[in-house]
Amino acid sequence: MAAPAFTSSQEAEQAFYEAFERSNLDAMMAVWAEDEEVYCIHPGGPRLTGLEKIRESFRQIFGSGVRMRFQLRGAQQLRGGLLAVHTVYEYITVVGERQPASPVIATNVYANVGGSWRMVGHHGSAVPDAEPDPQSGPTSSSLLH
Amino acid sequence: MAAPAFTSSQEAEQAFYEAFERSNLDAMMAVWAEDEEVYCIHPGGPRLTGLEKIRESFRQIFGSGVRMRFQLRGAQQLRGGLLAVHTVYEYITVVGERQPASPVIATNVYANVGGSWRMVGHHGSAVPDAEPDPQSGPTSSSLLH
């Protein structure tokens, strides 16, 4: 599968959550940069470094048969040249379950690699079931330069 | 207190943990960029956005009288122009307690603001008491450009 080109970190982020919802391992891994230093921290888990470990973790998640739907809220972005850092609340619903799971706050890091934006880091952790900071709109962005 | 100049993200990170260990609120806040978009996610907590909320959170932590010692392990860094993203395991010992607390994995984000590196994001979450990925040395660094 030829790697798609993501023209912005937002586009890469959208592809990440779409691949997650579709449990599509190839599409998920196409979002990640081909770099030894990429890392992924699933909620409550350790840091996984490198594509091989990250692929294996998503293979297990997708292989469990649990299908998830993500509602993203309170997105904030920091950008500085070749890196972009997004934080976003993930409101996750497991398909077939009535109760939504605990919200997760995620720090997603993207890098511009050869003109295309790719995920280089994901850090998720469960948070109290609270609203995102009220002063932040649905999306805010800050350009650092 | 005049804001110190940090010539690297590593220097800013060192100042962050030193201020934490000394429970020094002014020194802690001097590490942070003066930017409305800075965020801090303490382990198990929500995202706090903006210096005011971040200052208040550290005021409460430092005011509790609990003194902490940090041993940092498995540091990894991604850099891309004006942003640097560090992930690091924090092995925390509370002064006066025998048992170390659960390790925390932190994603620390730094920005070059006017020539000085400042913290712009901190995301900490508790992790299982495991060793950092064995293939990663004490410090590894990747330059994205």
Side-chain angles (χ1 to χ4, degrees):
Chain A
M1 177 169 156
F6 302 114
T7 60
S8 67
S9 53
Q10 290 84 350
E11 218 175 275
E13 183 148 281
Q14 194 177 338
F16 173 77
Y17 287 107
E18 281 179 5
F20 219 138
E21 290 198 338
R22 292 189 283 119
S23 298
N24 185 325
L25 188 58
D26 284 342
M28 167 58 76
M29 296 316 296
V31 177
W32 289 81
E34 292 180 13
D35 188 298
E36 288 178 5
E37 300 287 334
V38 295
Y39 66 88
C40 183
I41 302 156
H42 293 294
R47 178 183 58 192
L48 307 173
T49 301
L51 287 175
E52 195 177 329
K53 287 187 176 180
I54 294 172
R55 168 182 276 272
E56 176 59 20
S57 74
F58 281 109
R59 198 191 59 74
Q60 288 183 17
I61 292 169
F62 296 166
S64 71
V66 172
R67 299 295 288 262
M68 288 180 263
R69 294 288 171 268
F70 289 82
Q71 193 191 12
L72 304 180
R73 296 171 66 181
Q76 294 181 348
Q77 297 160 24
L78 297 168
R79 282 182 285 159
L82 299 171
L83 282 182
V85 179
H86 298 198
T87 57
V88 65
Y89 279 88
E90 304 171 349
Y91 286 79
I92 301 170
T93 312
V94 174
V95 174
E97 292 188 8
R98 280 196 170 183
Q99 292 292 332
S102 278
V104 166
I105 180 81
T107 300
N108 295 326
V109 184
Y110 303 91
N112 188 322
V113 183
S116 178
W117 288 87
R118 288 284 191 287
M119 179 169 266
V120 290
H122 171 75
H123 182 173
S125 63
V127 288
D129 194 358
E131 290 296 303
D133 340 16
Q135 87 275 24
S136 68
T139 297
S140 62
S141 179
S142 170
L143 205 55
L144 294 159
H145 62 69
Chain B
M1 174 169 158
F6 302 114
T7 59
S8 66
S9 52
Q10 290 84 348
E11 217 174 277
E13 184 149 281
Q14 194 177 338
F16 173 78
Y17 287 107
E18 281 179 5
F20 219 138
E21 289 198 338
R22 291 189 285 119
S23 299
N24 185 325
L25 190 57
D26 284 343
M28 168 58 75
M29 296 316 297
V31 178
W32 289 81
E34 292 180 13
D35 188 298
E36 289 179 5
E37 302 286 334
V38 295
Y39 67 88
C40 183
I41 302 156
H42 294 293
R47 179 183 59 194
L48 307 172
T49 302
L51 287 174
E52 196 176 329
K53 287 187 176 181
I54 293 172
R55 168 181 276 274
E56 175 59 21
S57 74
F58 281 107
R59 196 190 61 72
Q60 288 182 19
I61 292 169
F62 296 165
S64 71
V66 173
R67 300 294 286 264
M68 288 178 264
R69 295 288 171 268
F70 289 81
Q71 193 191 10
L72 305 180
R73 296 172 65 180
Q76 294 180 348
Q77 298 161 22
L78 296 168
R79 284 182 285 158
L82 299 172
L83 282 182
V85 178
H86 298 198
T87 57
V88 65
Y89 279 87
E90 304 170 349
Y91 286 80
I92 302 171
T93 312
V94 174
V95 174
E97 292 189 9
R98 280 195 170 185
Q99 292 292 332
S102 277
V104 166
I105 180 79
T107 300
N108 295 326
V109 185
Y110 303 90
N112 187 320
V113 183
S116 178
W117 288 87
R118 288 284 191 289
M119 180 169 267
V120 289
H122 171 75
H123 183 174
S125 63
V127 287
D129 194 357
E131 289 296 300
D133 340 16
Q135 86 275 28
S136 67
T139 297
S140 63
S141 177
S142 172
L143 204 55
L144 294 158
H145 62 70

